[in-house]
Amino acid sequence: MFNLKKVTVGLLVIGILAACDNELDFKNELVDTPQQNEVQDSPQQNTEPSYDAPRYHMTGGWTNGEYYIMINGSSDIKGSAKYILQKIPKKGKEKVVKHMQLTESTGNKLTAIIYSENSNRTSFLTLEMNKEKTEITITMPNEKPVTYKKTDIMPFEFNPEYVWGE
């Protein structure tokens, strides 16, 4: 009934199936291993802000018609979240320069400590961006919130009398 040819073919089929089964198990192990690493790494990735975080969108020019503000990153070797906020009126040479250091970020809302270089006084301010990141509302201590819209106009176009920089 069983001849050598049938037994050989049967053993080959069993051997191939066993090899395929071992190969599939090996592939599953390889696929499972990176997934386990991703799960372990995900808490670390979540602690660092993504590009969608508002701090990456807050730099640049903003205006509300009366004032133009420019928010720039500050040169800091440590890489901390420091910024310079310059605010000027539509006319005149009044100069308001505040330094900010971000302390907390929740959704589209940022909290920062503000200070001037020539003063030891500090206070908190909040910056809140809309979902589209086209408007920013700044709330200074003891003041009403002020909303600014992102603008592409250059500072000298807004107020030609003002000398920009620090």
Side-chain angles (χ1 to χ4, degrees), residues 96-111:
V96 176
V97 176
K98 297 287 185 183
H99 295 268
M100 299 186 309
Q101 176 150 3
L102 299 182
T103 58
E104 184 180 348
S105 175
T106 308
N108 284 341
K109 191 173 186 178
L110 299 164
T111 303

Side-chain angles (χ1 to χ4, degrees), residues 7 10 15 35 49 53 63 70 77 86 88 91 99 112 130 142 149:
V7 170
Q35 288 174 350
T63 186
M70 177 66 75
I77 296 172
Q86 295 183 63
I88 64 162
K91 295 186 180 197
H99 295 268
N130 65 350
N142 303 322
K149 292 185 180 198

Side-chain angles (χ1 to χ4, degrees), residues 67-95:
Y67 290 95
Y68 186 103
I69 61 170
M70 177 66 75
I71 301 174
N72 294 321
S74 176
S75 59
D76 186 349
I77 296 172
K78 296 176 187 173
S80 61
K82 291 185 178 181
Y83 297 87
I84 298 172
L85 183 145
Q86 295 183 63
K87 178 180 173 182
I88 64 162
K90 181 76 173 168
K91 295 186 180 197
K93 295 184 180 183
E94 178 184 327
K95 185 175 194 170

Side-chain angles (χ1 to χ4, degrees), residues 15-155:
I16 290 172
L17 290 175
C20 287
D21 187 41
N22 285 343
E23 186 176 317
L24 288 176
D25 286 343
F26 181 71
K27 285 183 182 176
N28 284 342
E29 288 176 19
L30 285 177
V31 172
D32 289 342
T33 302
Q35 288 174 350
Q36 289 172 353
N37 286 344
E38 287 175 14
V39 171
Q40 291 171 355
D41 291 342
S42 64
Q44 182 182 17
Q45 290 172 353
N46 288 341
T47 59
E48 294 181 18
S50 70
Y51 182 72
D52 291 332
R55 76 180 216 174
Y56 293 106
H57 294 278
M58 74 178 191
T59 59
W62 302 85
T63 186
N64 67 355
E66 288 183 56
Y67 290 95
Y68 186 103
I69 61 170
M70 177 66 75
I71 301 174
N72 294 321
S74 176
S75 59
D76 186 349
I77 296 172
K78 296 176 187 173
S80 61
K82 291 185 178 181
Y83 297 87
I84 298 172
L85 183 145
Q86 295 183 63
K87 178 180 173 182
I88 64 162
K90 181 76 173 168
K91 295 186 180 197
K93 295 184 180 183
E94 178 184 327
K95 185 175 194 170
V96 176
V97 176
K98 297 287 185 183
H99 295 268
M100 299 186 309
Q101 176 150 3
L102 299 182
T103 58
E104 184 180 348
S105 175
T106 308
N108 284 341
K109 191 173 186 178
L110 299 164
T111 303
I113 296 173
I114 59 169
Y115 57 94
S116 298
E117 270 191 351
N118 54 1
S119 171
N120 290 335
R121 295 178 50 190
T122 62
S123 59
F124 286 95
L125 107 121
T126 58
L127 303 112
E128 189 165 359
M129 299 188 82
N130 65 350
K131 289 182 183 179
E132 296 80 24
K133 299 186 181 36
T134 57
E135 292 183 354
I136 190 167
T137 302
I138 299 177
T139 307
M140 301 284 278
N142 303 322
E143 294 182 17
K144 291 182 180 179
V146 180
T147 301
Y148 298 89
K149 292 185 180 198
K150 189 77 164 171
T151 184
D152 290 332
I153 67 170
M154 300 302 290

